[in-house]
Amino acid sequence: MGEWQNSHYHKCLTEFYIVQVGWIIYTELAKEGTLTLKYVGEGENTIVKPMVHHNIYMSPSTITHVVKYGVSSENIDWFGSPELDKLTKHLKASELVQFLDN
């Protein structure tokens, strides 16, 4: 069974997610409240810009690499996004299947 991570955003850092094995469902919440879900498969990647609230659902046995880059003026540049957690944490793998072919 897969698992959701914790929704968050960064004020300054950019994240580069790379899927080595398996797949993830990447979610982001736009400023106007639109929820986007995107399948990212083996050998694929996605980039998350600063201030974008995002989360990933990681399938079992998935291996990812995350590169964070950019200049942060703060010691910690990770901020929780409870509003995105409310929209995603309850979604089960069976509900995410529709995104696997996209």
Side-chain angles (χ1 to χ4, degrees):
M1 182 164 64
E3 189 78 30
W4 282 104
Q5 294 188 337
N6 293 315
S7 299
H8 65 282
Y9 67 96
H10 306 280
K11 290 183 180 178
C12 301
L13 299 177
T14 297
E15 286 185 302
F16 181 50
Y17 284 89
I18 306 159
V19 178
Q20 180 178 340
V21 175
W23 55 269
I24 63 172
I25 298 293
Y26 166 78
T27 63
E28 73 177 40
L29 184 60
K31 290 178 187 174
E32 66 275 358
T34 304
L35 179 67
T36 302
L37 290 92
K38 173 183 160 187
Y39 170 84
V40 183
E42 199 166 295
E44 297 178 333
N45 62 72
T46 193
I47 294 177
V48 186
K49 299 289 186 186
M51 300 304 294
V52 175
H53 294 233
H54 61 282
N55 197 0
I56 65 167
Y57 177 91
M58 190 175 302
S59 66
S61 303
T62 294
I63 298 171
T64 61
H65 303 279
V66 182
V67 178
K68 296 180 183 184
Y69 58 94
V71 177
S72 176
S73 60
E74 303 176 33
N75 290 335
I76 298 174
D77 191 12
W78 189 101
F79 302 91
S81 178
E83 54 272 40
L84 181 54
D85 275 342
K86 288 179 187 175
L87 296 171
T88 58
K89 287 274 190 156
H90 68 280
L91 297 173
K92 307 288 184 226
S94 59
E95 297 172 284
L96 298 172
V97 170
Q98 63 181 316
F99 299 98
L100 296 180
D101 293 327
N102 295 336

